[in-house]
Amino acid sequence: MGLSRVTIIAAPTKEPREVIQPGSSIYTVFAPTLLTIIQCQQLFGAASLSLRSQVHWLTWQCLRLSRIIASQVYFGSSFFRGHVVILVRKMWETRIIRRLRKKIVVEFFALMLGSGGNCVCLVLFWPGWWLLGLVGLAARFWIG
């Protein structure tokens, strides 16, 4: 596009001479179309209002149903959890589980402490130290 071919677009400067009158031919052509459009708009508005009310009712029912299901799941899970806790407590005190716990503790200490650490634990936590300490304390008080 060259500079020699420039087109200027401007608004019209003349005022319209006629306004569409109710009896004019353009009014008689567009009036039925406008009435049909208005009727379609009213029909669409009524349909959308009906659809909106049905969707509102459906969502309210779904919310109510989900609350019922959630409460049943909550009470069911708490009932199940209570029974599981009772079952675990009973199983924890059985003879087989006690033996298994003792074996696990012994294996854990043997693994963590090794052969030398086991001797250190025996020296530190030997119950005879309390007895020797009391005998030494009594001897000190007695001998003076």
Side-chain angles (χ1 to χ4, degrees), residues 3-44:
L3 292 176
S4 61
R5 292 184 163 196
V6 176
T7 307
I8 298 176
I9 300 174
T13 57
K14 295 182 180 178
E15 294 290 327
R17 292 183 186 170
E18 295 182 17
V19 177
I20 299 174
Q21 300 297 325
S24 69
S25 63
I26 208 162
Y27 180 78
T28 56
V29 170
F30 285 119
T33 308
L34 289 174
L35 289 175
T36 306
I37 291 173
I38 290 171
Q39 288 173 351
C40 286
Q41 182 184 14
Q42 289 174 349
L43 183 64
F44 180 72

Side-chain angles (χ1 to χ4, degrees), residues 108-123:
F108 177 74
F109 280 121
L111 177 70
M112 289 294 128
L113 299 174
S115 60
N118 194 14
C119 293
V120 171
C121 277
L122 285 176
V123 168

